[in-house]
Amino acid sequence: MKKFVSKVIWFLIGLVVLDVLVGLGARYLVGHAKGGDTGLNNYICHEMRDECIVFGSSRGMHHYDPNIIADSLGMSCWNCSLDGNGIILMYGRYKMLSARYTPKMLIYDVQTSFDLLENDNHKYLRNLRYYYDDPGVDSIFWRVDPLERLKMLSNCYRYNYQWLQLISDNIHPMRSNDKGYKPMDKTMTYKPKASYKPKASAHQKEDYKYDSLKLHYLEQLVVACKANGTQLVFAVSPQFNTHDDKVYQPLKDICRKYHLPFLNHYCDKDFVDRTDYFYDSVHMNRTGATAYTKMVVGELKGLAMP
């Protein structure tokens, strides 16, 4: 019996040592990444000091040219958007970067799936895992899932499924960007069919399932920006063949509550019917993004800076 207990103890000690070594190795790879997604995340979270920043999903990443914004507004700009992500990640990023400096302006391109509607919020934690120990980040994990408080004690769990990315970004980074901006250079050669959706009657409301946690963090971002003196501007960029923005009502309510500017071009007729402005039905190409960014900076110039 004693021999069995001894083996169990040594096995557990081995697991702890392995977990510590995994953490040391992963942190080294994260901290020494030469580029790629890991290097870009490190720059945004720990080094960036640009005066104007852009948050959002892939639509934010492809639709806002930081060079045009910088030239027009006379302030440095970086696009911090990330494909497939929204407020869960972006709030964490703001907490990290605002701990070392205060951006003058934050342009947030809001996308329904990642910022307003219900879905699995666990997936948005992936790009925050490296920075779990940074101030203000751990509580985001706990709000998404209380069990994350225990899971994140394990380095094997924290860095699971990301080794290939870490090694690649240390040896031969594959992805490039222009201050976080990733323009799409192809043009949509088809016209997507409009999806049919029965209209609600005058006594019915649209059946949108809004995510209370996402809305909570949108408001927390508003509060943090106001406390820090960052001019927060919510925006919605154009989407092809879109003529109804009712799904954005909660965002409109937040902007009204906190007296925030809302640049709503979701259904902008100057964009949404032009195939030459789009890469696909959701994302604009470089031509559309250039035209859109120039229009947005014109609107931003009219805003009172804090």
Side-chain angles (χ1 to χ4, degrees), residues 44-291:
I44 291 172
C45 297
H46 289 159
E47 299 177 32
M48 183 185 69
R49 289 185 175 273
D50 291 84
E51 298 166 290
C52 178
I53 56 177
V54 179
F55 277 1
S57 62
S58 58
R59 284 165 51 79
M61 182 190 301
H62 301 317
H63 294 177
Y64 297 81
D65 187 336
N67 299 295
I68 295 175
I69 295 173
D71 291 343
S72 300
L73 299 184
M75 61 175 76
S76 59
C77 182
W78 194 276
N79 193 322
C80 307
S81 305
L82 186 62
D83 184 20
N85 281 270
I87 186 59
I88 303 295
L89 171 64
M90 296 303 150
Y91 178 72
R93 282 188 167 180
Y94 184 78
K95 292 291 288 184
M96 284 184 277
L97 64 88
S98 63
R100 66 176 184 276
Y101 87 106
T102 301
K104 291 182 179 180
M105 178 177 286
L106 166 53
I107 305 166
Y108 195 131
D109 187 88
V110 179
Q111 207 274 347
T112 54
S113 297
F114 310 129
D115 295 303
L116 298 176
L117 302 178
E118 288 184 355
N119 47 49
D120 183 11
N121 287 328
H122 288 84
K123 61 185 178 182
Y124 306 123
L125 298 176
R126 177 178 178 180
N127 289 284
L128 283 175
R129 292 190 188 281
Y130 299 161
Y131 312 105
Y132 179 79
D133 296 321
D134 284 34
V137 175
D138 54 5
S139 61
I140 300 174
F141 284 75
W142 307 341
R143 287 295 298 263
V144 171
D145 182 357
L147 289 178
E148 289 289 332
R149 187 190 293 260
L150 296 177
K151 293 177 182 178
M152 291 298 290
L153 293 174
S154 168
N155 288 306
C156 290
Y157 172 78
R158 187 180 300 196
Y159 298 102
N160 195 18
Y161 302 119
Q162 301 182 55
W163 285 98
L164 289 178
Q165 180 76 57
L166 288 175
I167 294 171
S168 173
D169 290 344
N170 274 266
I171 298 175
H172 184 65
M174 300 296 292
R175 299 185 180 184
S176 60
N177 64 85
D178 181 7
K179 299 178 183 176
Y181 172 54
K182 298 182 180 181
M184 312 295 282
D185 286 315
K186 294 184 180 180
T187 300
M188 185 166 62
T189 57
Y190 62 95
K191 192 168 184 179
K193 294 181 180 179
S195 58
Y196 173 72
K197 182 179 180 181
K199 292 184 178 180
S201 69
H203 302 290
Q204 292 177 320
K205 293 184 178 180
E206 296 285 355
D207 188 23
Y208 296 120
K209 294 182 179 180
Y210 294 108
D211 190 323
S212 60
L213 184 61
K214 291 185 178 74
L215 295 177
H216 165 75
Y217 278 120
L218 281 173
E219 291 208 47
Q220 287 297 107
L221 179 64
V222 173
V223 172
C225 285
K226 284 185 173 292
N228 293 331
T230 299
Q231 170 75 67
L232 174 60
V233 180
F234 283 118
V236 183
S237 49
Q239 182 162 306
F240 186 78
N241 199 25
T242 300
H243 306 284
D244 186 343
D245 66 354
K246 291 187 181 69
V247 68
Y248 282 99
Q249 189 57 51
L251 179 62
K252 296 176 184 178
D253 294 339
I254 289 175
C255 291
R256 188 178 302 110
K257 176 180 177 181
Y258 292 98
H259 307 288
L260 294 173
F262 178 33
L263 309 184
N264 184 4
H265 295 284
Y266 191 53
C267 308
D268 193 321
K269 294 180 180 179
D270 291 333
F271 289 85
V272 299
D273 296 319
R274 295 189 55 168
T275 55
D276 60 316
Y277 274 177
F278 284 83
Y279 169 83
D280 58 28
S281 60
V282 178
H283 304 98
M284 288 187 288
N285 57 24
R286 186 190 296 267
T287 301
T290 298

